[in-house]
Amino acid sequence: MGSPTTTTVRVSQACATHNADGRMEIFAVTQDGTMVHRWQAAPDGKFDGWKSLGGTVSQPFVVRNPDGRIELFAIGAGGDRAVWHRRQVAPNAEFGDWESLGGTVSQPFAIHNQDGRIELFAIGAGGDRAVWHKWQKAPSGQFDDWHSLEGTVTQPFAVRNTDGRIILFAVGAGGDRALWHRSQVTPNGPFGDWQSLNGTISQPCAIQNLDGRIEVFAIGEGGDHAVWHRWQTSPSGPFDSGWHSLDENVSQPFVIHNQDGRIELFAIDTEGHLKHRGQIAPNAQFGEWRSLGFNVRQPFALRQQNGAIMVFAISNDDNTLWCRAQEGPNAKDYDGWEQVGDDM
């Protein structure tokens, strides 16, 4: 699985997921474009040292196959711009070699179909700006060719409806800046037409409420820079709530569930501090913003095996990865920041 690094690892991008046995595994791109990773020795335990996965890549993300193996994706750096991937040879095990999935793309991500097949999406590079997608031919299997979903968009992401259909979102490119979406017409099937949810936004993300209704969050553009949100009025239904402000001048929002099903919203304020606010009850309104301090960027989070959220971010001071965890499942307070270094 590679040799442990012996110097401080400075990273530009990072992501994480759980192994089949519950251990967190972190992936990061170093400043020279090399992919590295590290994992917990046991669920909720300490992390082993960084080890190299090679490559010269950017924009990494990970998804678990239905058979439990982690699938790692990234964009080829330099002139390549194809999506590359490598997967564990068995659940909880080492990774096979890098393989190209082709394309000339940016902003890739992936989500599972209802039947377990991974579906990969990305924005066409160059003058195209359409969403392109490809999917596994069978769960945990090989991928089909790239196909266009058209549009002139950016910042794509997707969530599954409770009925199993993927709903794809993106921000209109150029002068539009509205949030657009299109959904599979049936689970595992083709997509319907693009429809606008209006707004003038950026950096959108979404998550299901405990009752199954999808809630979308985004940063207001045009001087506001607050978090705005809107939600489905019924599971798998329309987004008839309209946009509502959650205040605060922030960026880089993301969301995760607490163990009890309440949504926890995170974002970076104008001083680089990580802030969060959670629903006061499942499916309900949000409490007040609380600061987690520090000077960071590109935050993301996972829930530990014990149910507590662990949040990660890259330090703006030295480009190393740091983390802090809830004091317990569903807690308002977090332990202090710790560097994800070789001595953890």
Side-chain angles (χ1 to χ4, degrees):
M1 300 179 76
S3 300
T5 59
T6 57
T7 58
T8 299
V9 174
R10 304 189 191 280
V11 302
S12 59
Q13 299 160 330
C15 59
T17 192
H18 291 99
N19 276 282
D21 59 11
R23 293 175 301 114
M24 288 184 189
E25 189 147 356
I26 305 169
F27 302 83
V29 177
T30 65
Q31 293 181 313
D32 69 358
T34 302
M35 181 72 76
V36 295
H37 67 142
R38 62 188 306 160
W39 52 88
Q40 290 174 319
D44 300 338
K46 294 187 178 296
F47 286 88
D48 287 338
W50 289 108
K51 298 173 178 64
S52 177
L53 283 170
T56 305
V57 297
S58 67
Q59 303 177 55
F61 61 100
V62 281
V63 185
R64 277 248 306 279
N65 278 288
D67 61 11
R69 294 176 300 140
I70 295 172
E71 189 105 10
L72 168 64
F73 300 85
I75 296 290
D80 179 80
R81 309 305 298 170
V83 176
W84 290 75
H85 73 133
R86 61 189 301 175
R87 59 179 59 153
Q88 288 176 317
V89 297
N92 315 308
E94 68 273 10
F95 282 77
D97 296 331
W98 285 106
E99 299 178 354
S100 177
L101 289 172
T104 305
V105 298
S106 67
Q107 304 174 57
F109 71 93
I111 190 172
H112 290 105
N113 276 281
Q114 186 183 50
D115 60 11
R117 293 176 302 114
I118 294 172
E119 190 143 353
L120 174 63
F121 299 83
I123 298 294
D128 179 79
R129 305 306 295 275
V131 177
W132 290 75
H133 67 142
K134 67 190 306 176
W135 51 87
Q136 287 177 322
K137 299 176 183 178
S140 306
Q142 300 302 307
F143 283 82
D144 202 347
D145 297 328
W146 288 102
H147 301 267
S148 178
L149 285 170
E150 302 175 340
T152 304
V153 294
T154 185
Q155 302 174 56
F157 68 100
V159 186
R160 278 240 310 277
N161 276 296
T162 51
D163 62 12
R165 294 176 301 125
I166 295 171
I167 181 166
L168 169 66
F169 299 87
V171 176
D176 178 80
R177 309 306 295 171
L179 184 64
W180 291 77
H181 70 121
R182 61 189 301 175
S183 301
Q184 287 177 318
V185 295
T186 57
N188 315 309
F191 283 79
D193 295 331
W194 286 106
Q195 299 178 3
S196 178
L197 289 174
N198 303 315
T200 305
I201 57 93
S202 67
Q203 304 171 60
C205 59
I207 196 170
Q208 278 192 10
N209 276 281
L210 187 63
D211 61 10
R213 293 175 302 115
I214 293 171
E215 191 150 352
V216 182
F217 303 81
I219 300 299
E221 290 293 298
D224 178 81
H225 296 296
V227 177
W228 290 74
H229 66 141
R230 67 185 299 168
W231 50 89
Q232 289 175 322
T233 50
S234 61
S236 304
F239 289 85
D240 288 342
S241 68
W243 287 102
H244 299 266
S245 177
L246 287 169
D247 306 318
E248 201 70 15
N249 187 343
V250 292
S251 64
Q252 302 174 60
F254 74 95
V255 281
I256 189 173
H257 289 116
N258 277 283
Q259 189 182 50
D260 61 10
R262 293 178 302 116
I263 296 170
E264 193 88 7
L265 167 66
F266 294 83
I268 302 291
D269 71 13
T270 55
E271 297 180 332
H273 296 165
L274 183 64
K275 305 190 84 165
H276 69 120
R277 64 188 298 178
Q279 288 178 317
I280 60 175
N283 315 310
Q285 68 268 28
F286 283 78
E288 299 297 322
W289 285 103
R290 298 165 64 92
S291 180
L292 292 174
F294 214 26
N295 180 20
V296 294
R297 68 183 187 276
Q298 298 182 42
F300 61 94
L302 289 176
R303 282 227 314 273
Q304 299 188 91
Q305 192 88 331
N306 66 11
I309 293 170
M310 180 173 283
V311 62
F312 300 85
I314 298 172
S315 167
N316 286 324
D317 297 324
D318 64 4
N319 298 310
T320 57
L321 189 66
W322 291 68
C323 66
R324 65 186 300 177
Q326 277 180 321
E327 292 182 348
N330 312 311
K332 288 185 178 180
D333 294 323
Y334 282 69
D335 294 331
W337 286 100
E338 295 184 55
Q339 189 178 29
V340 185
D342 288 337
D343 57 350
M344 286 191 68

